[in-house]
């Protein structure tokens, strides 16, 4: 049956009785395909029936369907004719998120959460202004993404336009990566476990109407206390008080119930919220049994067992995780803060060891930074751990709440630099340029696992300014020992034989290994090369400036965006000190990088030892 699906029209043509079979085929396809490539498996297994219903009720692309985050869009890709998953998240293959380059059915490519309602509001508003009738806009947002403040800003504005043809589908699986937390989660849990008030109201009407003489009057009175009945029987008032019509809760795996609810919402002349209950990882026992994240994202696995074919080595995140626990044992003032990603960022062990000293704010990075500044003011030292790409979302809070107030907050950025298959929105390439404009901020880029531990030890001792530590995704390499130290700067290779320095190579973080290989190549050609790791790359160390003064050329190798990056910071520091040594920079160009493996991306942008060595040999 799946082979017959070339687009939404084919989905509409399937008899209702055959929909369970289609759903089963899609799940089997997802399990077999994603297990070969890796990707977001659990979220997609949970939205199979929901996505089928969306494409049967609405007319994509005439009706716009906007997926929040987009990691649950694989089923949407299948139903819109994209069946070749052999290259999923690989160079030249399908993106792991919606992609306008792939299909007219895809709208929002950015995989940062809590944005769909704002996108949908803008699209629906534009069509209303243009006088377009009969076109609907649908936003599909998870209960986890609803913890983001931007979603509530959008809800506040959407509810103000009572005639906007906008349907909000809340895909409620009680999880983002891990179980959803907070007051909203508690509210949705109440709705989840309470039968809808509609059945109660229908029973009341049918009973009261039969009462002689007074039946109709009592029915009108019943309508007047409708809100009170709702709050008792199914307290969805949180949404209806905003001015949103509420439909649900609906079984997200019942095709008939889903279509009925969505058609009701579509026919309503105004914004409607449809509350759909789904199971993340549905239909795949290994995913359902995974307590951590129910296979939110997997690598290459055995589809029969759910187990990886290869056991990954020790990661950069592991080094941070272990050191956090060690510091926590010595320092009762150190607390962990995360934004719905406890395990992925390495705070799971800390949370287990010190459950009273961990805060998960949900998908709310802005709140995390400002709240952490409050923790620091009150005498604690918070360590805020997020993916590097998500620091972008909290720039104002880092600048105006943490830095302006000299808050002793440590921000740990996982997945920094080129991350690979998740594409443009997940590369952690902007953080050093962002941090470079913030007064007083100090940023450390560790070169190996030992350096991660050392950086964290030093960072939590800083009480008068924000500190940032950033490291990449994946397996950490062997330790890189320093030859000697020049003040705060580690010299990691010296090919000068005590003579003058032709070339000073500054390696930033994980790129120190690349800098060492470049130095070996150039030294073999007779160049006198010194390789250093500044460790604390922001602000630029006076010790590094002193070393640059004695070099003929300085080369900076970093895995951040070049514009405003560490290379630019070093060049500015030299100019400020009247030093005319030329600075050559190697990093990430100012562009959005498509999904591919990390190695392929580095090759394409020229951030490999051979390319760098060739450029410096000229």
């Amino acid at each position: 049956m799946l082979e017959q699906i070339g687009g939404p029209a084919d989905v509409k043509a399937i008899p209702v009785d055959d929909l369970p079979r289609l759903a089963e085929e899609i799940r089997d396809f997802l399990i077999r395909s994603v297990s070969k490539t890796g990707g977001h498996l659990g979220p997609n297994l949970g939205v199979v029936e929901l996505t089928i219903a969306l494409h049967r009720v609405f007319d994509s692309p005439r009706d716009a369907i906007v997926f929040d985050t987009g990691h649950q869009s694989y089923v949407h890709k299948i139903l819109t004719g994209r069946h070749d998953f052999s290259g999923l998240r690989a160079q030249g293959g399908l993106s792991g998120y919606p992609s306008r380059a792939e299909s007219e059915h895809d709208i929002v490519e950015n995989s940062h959460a809590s944005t769909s309602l704002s996108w949908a509001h803008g699209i629906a508003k534009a069509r209303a202004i243009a006088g377009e009738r009969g076109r609907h806009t649908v936003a599909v947002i998870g209960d986890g993404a609803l913890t983001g403040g931007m979603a509530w800003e959008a809800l506040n504005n959407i509810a103000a336009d009572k005639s906007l043809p906008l349907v909000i589908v809340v895909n409620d699986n009680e999880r983002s990566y891990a179980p959803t937390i907070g007051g909203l989660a508690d509210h949705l849990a109440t709705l989840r476990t309470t039968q809808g008030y509609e059945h109660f109201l229908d029973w009341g009407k049918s009973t009261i109407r039969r009462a002689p003489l007074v039946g109709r009057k009592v029915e009108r009175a019943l309508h007047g206390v409708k809100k009170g009945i709702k709050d008792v029987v199914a307290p969805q008032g949180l949404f209806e008080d905003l001015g949103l019509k509420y439909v649900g809760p609906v079984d997200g795996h019942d095709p008939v119930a889903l279509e009925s609810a969505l058609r009701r919402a579509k026919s309503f002349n105004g914004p409607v919220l449809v509350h759909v209950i789904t199971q993340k990882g549905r239909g795949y026992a290994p995913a359902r049994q995974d307590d951590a994240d129910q296979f939110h994202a997997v690598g290459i696995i055995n589809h029969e067992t759910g187990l990886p074919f290869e056991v990954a080595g020790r990661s950069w995140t592991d080094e941070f995780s272990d050191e956090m626990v060690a510091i926590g044992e010595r320092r009762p003032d150190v607390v962990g803060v995360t934004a719905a990603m406890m395990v992925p960022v390495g705070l799971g062990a800390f949370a287990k060891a010190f459950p009273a000293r961990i805060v998960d704010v949900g998908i709310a990075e802005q709140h995390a930074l400002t709240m952490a500044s409050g923790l620091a003011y009150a005498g604690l030292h918070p360590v805020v751990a997020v993916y590097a790409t998500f620091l972008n979302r909290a720039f104002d809070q880092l600048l105006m709440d943490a830095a302006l107030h000299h808050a002793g907050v440590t921000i740990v950025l996982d997945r920094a630099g080129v991350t690979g298959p998740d594409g443009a929105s997940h590369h952690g390439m902007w953080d050093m340029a962002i941090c470079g404009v913030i007064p007083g901020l100090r940023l450390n880029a560790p070169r190996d696992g030992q350096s991660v531990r050392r950086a964290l030890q030093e960072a939590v001792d800083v009480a008068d300014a924000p500190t940032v530590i950033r490291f990449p995704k994946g397996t950490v390499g062997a330790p890189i020992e320093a030859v000697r130290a020049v003040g705060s700067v580690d010299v990691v290779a010296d090919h000068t034989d005590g003579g003058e320095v032709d070339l000073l190579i500054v390696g930033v973080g994980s790129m120190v290994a690349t800098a060492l290989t470049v130095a070996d190549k150039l030294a073999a050609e007779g160049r006198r090369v010194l390789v250093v790791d500044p460790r604390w790359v922001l602000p630029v160390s006076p010790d590094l400036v002193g070393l640059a003064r004695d070099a003929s050329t300085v080369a900076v190798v970093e895995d951040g965006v070049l514009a405003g990056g560490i290379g630019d910071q070093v060049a500015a520091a030299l100019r400020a000190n009247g030093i005319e040594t030329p600075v050559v920079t190697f990093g990430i160009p100012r562009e959005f990088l498509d999904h591919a493996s990390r190695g392929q991306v580095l090759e394409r942008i020229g951030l490999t030892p051979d390319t760098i060595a060739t450029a410096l040999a000229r």
Side-chain angles (χ1 to χ4, degrees):
M1 184 179 294
L2 187 56
E3 296 176 355
Q4 302 171 13
I5 303 296
D10 297 323
V11 180
K12 293 182 188 333
I14 296 174
V16 172
D17 291 344
D18 289 339
L19 293 180
R21 178 184 158 199
L22 174 62
E24 183 178 352
E25 288 187 16
I26 290 174
R27 283 197 172 90
D28 183 67
F29 175 86
L30 287 171
I31 293 167
R32 291 179 179 277
S33 298
V34 179
S35 66
K36 296 176 183 177
T37 62
H40 290 99
L41 182 56
N44 286 285
L45 292 174
V47 298
V48 175
E49 290 87 356
L50 172 58
T51 311
I52 291 172
L54 286 169
H55 279 292
R56 285 172 63 85
V57 173
F58 296 96
D59 299 310
S60 178
R62 175 173 171 77
D63 293 330
I65 302 176
V66 180
F67 290 92
D68 202 285
T69 309
H71 56 227
Q72 81 285 47
S73 63
Y74 294 3
V75 184
H76 166 75
K77 289 176 184 278
I78 294 169
L79 298 181
T80 52
R82 286 165 280 177
H83 294 184
D84 184 4
F85 273 50
S86 61
L88 179 69
R89 301 168 72 244
Q91 189 173 38
L94 288 179
S95 167
Y97 297 97
S99 170
R100 291 183 182 178
E102 286 180 11
S103 173
E104 62 179 346
H105 297 280
D106 291 2
I107 295 173
V108 179
E109 303 183 25
N110 182 3
S111 55
H112 289 191
S114 310
T115 66
S116 63
L117 302 186
S118 296
W119 272 100
H121 184 210
I123 293 168
K125 191 69 176 178
R127 290 174 173 175
I129 292 172
E132 298 182 22
R133 305 295 179 188
R135 300 184 71 178
H136 287 78
T137 304
V138 183
V140 183
I141 184 169
D143 57 305
L146 270 181
T147 62
M150 188 175 175
W152 290 91
E153 293 176 21
L155 281 172
N156 183 53
N157 282 272
I158 289 168
D161 193 337
K162 306 301 183 185
S163 62
L164 204 63
L166 174 58
V167 176
I168 299 166
V169 178
V170 176
N171 171 35
D172 181 5
N173 60 19
E174 306 179 56
R175 309 179 75 91
S176 47
Y177 288 83
T180 307
I181 55 88
L184 174 65
D186 292 341
H187 183 82
L188 289 177
T190 302
L191 293 178
R192 229 178 272 129
T193 56
T194 306
Q195 295 300 315
Y197 78 101
E198 299 288 354
H199 296 299
F200 176 84
L201 205 58
D202 288 343
W203 168 85
K205 286 181 179 180
S206 63
T207 302
I208 292 169
R209 281 176 182 170
R210 291 196 296 270
L213 301 178
V214 298
R216 291 290 176 181
K217 293 181 180 179
V218 176
E219 181 186 344
R220 287 194 293 272
L222 176 63
H223 180 78
V225 297
K226 178 180 176 182
K227 177 64 170 64
I229 293 173
K230 285 183 185 180
D231 289 341
V232 172
V233 181
Q236 58 265 66
L238 174 64
F239 299 112
E240 293 201 340
D241 284 348
L242 280 172
L244 295 170
K245 179 70 175 176
Y246 175 94
V247 176
V250 182
D251 181 352
H253 304 294
D254 182 335
V256 175
L258 279 169
E259 287 193 35
S260 174
L262 291 173
R263 292 190 192 282
R264 285 172 58 200
K266 182 179 180 181
S267 65
F268 185 74
N269 187 27
V272 186
L273 186 145
V274 182
H275 184 189
V276 178
I277 312 299
T278 63
Q279 289 182 336
K280 193 172 184 177
R282 184 177 176 88
Y284 189 37
R288 293 297 300 159
Q289 293 165 5
D290 178 40
D291 292 334
D293 63 6
Q294 294 183 335
F295 281 25
H296 179 86
V298 297
I300 298 175
I301 60 173
N302 183 322
H303 78 272
E304 293 180 349
T305 65
L307 298 175
F309 283 108
E310 296 182 4
V311 178
R314 189 166 178 80
S315 70
W316 295 81
T317 310
D318 291 335
E319 299 289 349
F320 161 67
S321 177
D322 289 352
E323 190 58 33
M324 267 297 288
V325 174
I327 289 173
E329 292 172 348
R330 301 192 305 268
R331 291 273 301 269
D333 63 316
V334 170
V335 298
V337 179
T338 184
M341 304 181 75
M342 188 85 70
V343 174
V345 298
L347 282 176
F350 185 90
K352 185 176 181 179
F354 313 105
R357 289 157 54 191
I358 192 76
V359 182
D360 185 344
V361 300
I363 302 178
E365 292 84 0
Q366 293 177 308
H367 171 63
L369 262 294
T370 301
M371 188 271 293
S373 300
L375 291 172
Y377 173 77
L380 300 179
H381 191 104
V383 176
V384 182
V386 296
Y387 283 5
T389 182
F390 297 135
L391 181 66
N392 309 355
R393 316 190 74 178
F395 170 74
D396 184 66
Q397 289 69 32
L398 179 57
L399 176 68
M400 291 299 176
D401 293 321
L404 177 63
H405 293 88
H406 304 283
V409 175
T410 295
I411 300 99
V412 175
L413 304 179
D414 204 318
R415 273 73 164 174
V418 172
T419 54
D422 282 329
S425 63
H426 264 54
H427 292 303
M429 55 187 276
W430 318 100
D431 55 292
M432 291 190 290
I434 287 173
C435 290
V437 302
I438 298 178
L441 180 144
R442 310 174 202 184
L443 187 145
N444 187 299
R447 65 178 179 264
D448 56 23
Q450 294 177 354
S451 300
V452 171
R453 292 172 174 267
R454 181 182 174 189
L456 189 58
Q457 293 166 11
E458 295 172 349
V460 296
D461 283 337
V462 177
D464 61 350
T467 52
V468 177
I469 302 169
R470 52 109 64 189
F471 49 78
K473 176 182 180 180
T475 303
V476 67
I480 300 173
E481 301 294 341
V483 175
R484 64 179 184 276
V486 178
S488 62
V489 176
D490 282 351
V491 177
V492 292
D494 188 344
H495 298 284
T496 66
D497 293 326
E500 294 183 352
V501 179
D502 290 340
L503 176 65
L504 175 67
I505 302 180
V506 180
V508 177
S510 63
M511 300 308 291
V512 169
T514 298
L516 288 172
T517 305
V518 171
D520 288 342
K521 293 177 179 294
L522 295 176
E525 298 176 4
R527 298 286 297 277
R528 295 189 297 274
V529 184
L530 192 69
V531 183
V532 299
D533 171 14
R535 299 183 55 252
W536 289 94
V537 294
L538 291 175
V540 176
S541 166
D543 300 313
L544 180 59
V545 173
L547 288 167
R549 187 189 303 273
D550 298 327
S552 299
T553 303
V554 174
V556 179
V557 183
E558 59 186 298
D559 58 349
V561 66
L562 283 169
I566 304 304
D568 282 359
Q569 295 280 342
V570 170
L574 298 189
R575 289 194 302 270
N577 285 274
I579 300 172
E580 298 182 358
T581 304
V583 178
V584 184
T585 57
F586 299 91
I588 301 175
R590 184 166 50 190
E591 62 183 71
F592 294 112
L593 304 175
D594 290 336
H595 61 281
S597 71
R598 174 179 164 83
Q600 289 170 329
V601 174
L602 293 176
E603 183 75 34
R604 186 174 77 77
I605 64 178
L607 204 53
T608 60
D610 286 343
T611 304
I612 295 170
T614 299
L616 291 173
R618 296 192 185 108

